[in-house]
Amino acid sequence: MRCTGGEVGATSALAPKIGPLGLSPKKVGDDIAKATGDWKGLRITVKLTIQNRNAAIEVVPSASALIIKALKEPPRDRKKVKNIKHSGSVTFDEIVGIARLMRHRSIARELSGTIKEILGTSQSVGCTIDGRPPHDVIDDINSGKVECPSE
């Protein structure tokens, strides 16, 4: 389920999913807000695993959420600030770290392909890689100028 990090989501969205299981939507909503505290202001996916009437919450961050977190921007109030421009710069090493985190969800055969996927996402987020546009870095990887770690 998608929710905004660090905020108690609408219990009306939770109720039909967990009501039949005998859990309180308000309590689960508070647990989600607690578990997503360090993703404040970002839209992230949360995986709820319910076992013997206890909800275990697991944060499943997307590539864009990881990139925005790597930009180290101050948390924003989503009700007040709209259409934010992410104009910061991320290092190539951070991109490789994000690619390693996302490796299991990627459809690429090698890590270099996953790195290119993350670079494409950073292009759509609007940030730069070491002060360069992400597509230039992708071209350098394709031509062999930039060396990608194998795993």
Side-chain angles (χ1 to χ4, degrees):
M1 136 171 213
R2 300 267 301 167
C3 68
T4 306
E7 290 179 23
V8 179
T11 51
S12 59
L14 277 170
K17 293 181 181 85
I18 61 174
L21 301 169
L23 288 156
S24 151
K26 186 175 184 336
K27 185 174 167 287
V28 175
D30 291 339
D31 290 347
I32 289 173
K34 209 177 295 166
T36 59
D38 39 339
W39 297 90
K40 202 161 175 57
L42 294 176
R43 294 279 290 164
I44 48 167
T45 309
V46 175
K47 184 175 168 188
L48 287 173
T49 313
I50 288 140
Q51 210 167 19
N52 50 26
R53 290 191 68 176
N54 280 349
I57 290 139
E58 185 185 341
V59 178
V60 187
S62 63
S64 56
L66 286 165
I67 289 167
I68 294 169
K69 194 174 181 186
L71 285 169
K72 295 177 186 68
E73 293 177 342
R76 64 187 180 93
D77 186 4
R78 70 187 178 106
K79 291 183 178 75
K80 292 182 185 137
V81 187
K82 294 275 191 267
N83 301 335
I84 192 165
K85 290 270 188 283
H86 303 287
S87 56
S89 185
V90 183
T91 66
F92 186 69
D93 294 336
E94 285 176 323
I95 293 290
V96 172
I98 292 170
R100 285 201 172 106
L101 279 174
M102 297 295 289
R103 184 75 186 102
H104 64 284
R105 287 169 60 188
S106 167
I107 50 173
R109 264 183 284 159
E110 293 164 10
L111 186 67
S112 62
T114 312
I115 290 171
K116 287 183 212 168
E117 283 180 17
I118 304 297
L119 285 166
T121 308
S122 64
Q123 183 173 353
S124 60
V125 164
C127 63
T128 57
I129 312 302
D130 296 320
R132 298 173 58 212
H135 215 277
D136 292 359
V137 182
I138 293 174
D139 292 340
D140 285 354
I141 291 172
N142 289 341
S143 67
K145 287 180 189 168
V146 174
E147 198 65 39
C148 287
S150 57
E151 272 309 309

